[in-house]
Amino acid sequence: MATFAEIRALLGESRFNWTDPAPWIEMEREFGIEFPADFREIVDAYGSVQINNQLYLEHPAGHLLHSLGESIRGDLELWREEDMVEYLPSPAGANPGELMPVATAATGESVFLRVPDGFSSPWRVVVAELDSPAWTLHEMTFGEWLLAYLRGEDVTVCTRNFAPGRPFFEPLS
């Protein structure tokens, strides 16, 4: 199982290190779900960042220029449009089985967390390609998926050309 320590070892020491749960509580109340702990831990540690000049992660803190809550609202609106519905295996949203958009890639992919069907069901990752109606369900947690991405494994986001040396991140300004 992926751990935050393994992600940090590959990506580098985090600098954001957010500890106030208030933005998460507010955002989770708005969307009616509780985001998975591994996703929160990673985002709290790194903040709003671009990884390998490609993958964009955002934090829900309202004072940031790149806010996860604002991005989710806009992405939900986009993915619920009639001509976008065909691109996903299930609707975008916060109900069981639906897809919550949480990250994007410069190469045109969108990363979703699949809301569990029940309390004992795990969160899963779905990656959709914006330029074609193709998507892939990854039977792994967000932390496992990010670790695979950082290792250069095929998780439907092209990685090899963007981090030729080792994985890296930059804060979004």
Side-chain angles (χ1 to χ4, degrees):
M1 176 173 265
T3 67
F4 179 71
E6 292 172 297
I7 291 169
R8 187 176 53 221
L10 286 171
L11 191 55
E13 196 63 40
S14 59
R15 296 180 223 143
F16 192 70
N17 301 314
W18 188 269
T19 58
D20 181 5
W24 287 104
I25 292 168
E26 181 179 321
M27 188 176 72
E28 290 172 342
R29 192 174 295 137
E30 175 184 351
F31 295 117
I33 61 169
E34 186 174 320
F35 286 86
D38 66 330
F39 176 72
R40 286 178 60 156
E41 180 180 30
I42 292 162
V43 173
D44 276 344
Y46 288 95
S48 295
V49 294
Q50 182 180 26
I51 300 173
N52 297 345
N53 284 331
Q54 179 184 32
L55 182 65
Y56 296 93
L57 295 179
E58 297 176 330
H59 193 274
H63 72 282
L64 299 173
L65 180 58
H66 301 276
S67 171
L68 180 60
E70 288 180 28
S71 292
I72 288 174
R73 280 188 289 282
D75 288 346
L76 284 173
E77 187 175 318
L78 168 76
W79 289 105
R80 288 172 174 162
E81 290 178 7
E82 186 175 330
D83 58 341
M84 296 301 288
V85 172
E86 69 182 86
Y87 286 79
L88 299 176
S90 56
N95 294 315
E98 292 185 338
L99 304 175
M100 180 60 65
V102 295
T104 58
T107 48
E109 296 91 356
S110 290
V111 180
F112 298 84
L113 293 174
R114 185 181 180 281
V115 180
D117 292 321
F119 292 113
S120 62
S121 301
W123 287 84
R124 294 299 183 219
V125 175
V126 171
V127 179
E129 297 179 38
L130 190 55
D131 58 352
S132 69
W135 55 268
T136 304
L137 170 65
H138 297 279
E139 294 286 343
M140 53 183 70
T141 66
F142 183 81
E144 292 167 337
W145 179 86
L146 182 60
L147 183 60
Y149 168 81
L150 295 174
R151 290 178 175 160
E153 297 173 21
D154 182 8
V155 288
T156 325
V157 176
C158 301
T159 61
R160 303 203 189 286
N161 296 338
F162 293 92
R166 63 168 288 162
F168 63 95
F169 71 95
E170 302 176 52
L172 294 174
S173 52

